[in-house]
Amino acid sequence: MTGTLPPVGIDLFDVERLLLTEAAELPLPPQEAEARDRVWETAVRANPALFDGPVVACGGLERTGPRILRLSWVRVTYRHYALRRVPGATALPSLFVNVIQPTGDGRVLAARMSPSTAAPGRWQLPGGSVEPPQDGAVLDESALAGQAARELAEELGISAAAEDLKLWVVTRGENGSVGLTYLAPALPEATLRADFSVAAAAERVQGREPELDDIALVRSPDELAGLAGPHADYLKPIVCRFSECR
């Protein structure tokens, strides 16, 4: 059966199977395309680190059965999301993967975005935007888990096999953005902090600012509230659900 999902908000959907279908990006009216480009170029002048690389947007999300979601995806570039700042225009929701990295004693790792990123100072789970497949590859559940594992390695220096990451929940939040949240095997706090320090140092040696500049381990929404700065909209609901599951 096909089910209607709730109105867009901060929603969490249990899922055991994800069905993925590629869809084409709809053409933009010339005026909207020009306005989008102006907004993007202004943003790049303010932050030259912004890169208009290929990325995947969410074309639609629907429930097709118990714990089964169908997700259509669209190839765009980061410039597409400048449409959010164009009056009267509508951007597709973004699609991202992220990871719950727990400790053995039940805490969850939250990470803070560096000043040079598009969301400076924001606390969130480690993760990133979904990238489109290349060279005839397909975007399937295995590929998505692989992208989540790569984000862990790049941002935190944590080596996790894609098959060890379990799709735990799907979130839908601000601007309808859809997040695929994976659960990683628990690791000791000392290991997490040491791996993060090594990964950050390796970025600086290459002359790059790390994407994340701090990590924290939280056990509950109350502890999460003690982290100063903005929080990703999904972070509190996920920490709350994880703490309830223990």
Side-chain angles (χ1 to χ4, degrees):
M1 66 178 178
T2 297
T4 301
L5 295 178
V8 172
I10 310 301
D11 302 310
L12 279 68
F13 305 111
D14 292 320
V15 59
E16 291 180 353
R17 188 179 179 194
L18 195 62
L19 308 175
L20 293 130
T21 305
E22 183 174 5
E25 181 183 9
L26 296 176
L28 283 178
Q31 309 94 302
E32 290 188 7
E34 292 170 4
R36 174 204 61 193
D37 292 345
R38 287 195 298 271
V39 170
W40 174 257
E41 289 159 9
T42 299
V44 171
R45 286 196 294 271
N47 183 1
L50 294 178
F51 170 60
D52 190 25
V55 69
V56 166
C58 177
L61 184 68
E62 64 175 349
R63 183 180 289 116
T64 62
R67 296 177 178 264
I68 301 175
L69 292 178
R70 182 183 302 280
L71 188 154
S72 65
W73 59 274
V74 180
R75 298 172 192 259
V76 296
T77 68
Y78 283 101
R79 170 188 308 261
H80 174 84
Y81 297 115
L83 285 169
R84 292 172 179 166
R85 299 179 61 185
V86 175
T90 301
L92 292 169
S94 59
L95 180 65
F96 59 91
V97 293
N98 56 22
V99 181
I100 299 172
Q101 176 58 69
T103 60
D105 61 1
R107 289 174 292 168
V108 172
L109 185 149
R112 188 175 67 188
M113 298 288 282
S114 297
S116 61
T117 64
R122 185 178 70 187
W123 289 94
Q124 60 184 51
L125 297 178
S129 299
V130 173
E131 297 179 0
Q134 299 179 349
D135 302 326
V138 297
L139 186 64
D140 56 15
E141 290 182 278
S142 176
L144 290 167
Q147 292 198 30
R150 188 177 71 237
E151 294 290 345
L152 268 184
E154 292 177 352
E155 296 183 351
L156 298 175
I158 296 171
S159 297
E163 54 269 25
D164 291 334
L165 300 182
K166 177 185 177 182
L167 182 58
W168 191 71
V169 74
V170 173
T171 64
R172 186 176 60 180
E174 184 181 3
N175 298 312
S177 297
V178 173
L180 310 176
T181 301
Y182 290 81
L183 179 62
L187 290 172
E189 176 179 356
T191 298
L192 296 177
R193 294 195 180 280
D195 287 350
F196 174 65
S197 295
V198 170
E203 286 293 288
R204 293 189 178 100
V205 165
Q206 296 296 322
R208 298 186 294 262
E209 185 68 20
E211 188 171 354
L212 305 175
D213 67 1
D214 197 9
I215 61 172
L217 298 168
V218 297
R219 192 184 306 275
S220 67
D222 288 341
E223 291 185 7
L224 184 64
L227 300 180
H231 294 188
D233 57 358
Y234 62 77
L235 188 55
K236 181 178 178 180
I238 282 186
V239 169
C240 182
R241 174 171 288 203
F242 185 79
S243 63
E244 290 173 350
C245 288
R246 299 195 60 81

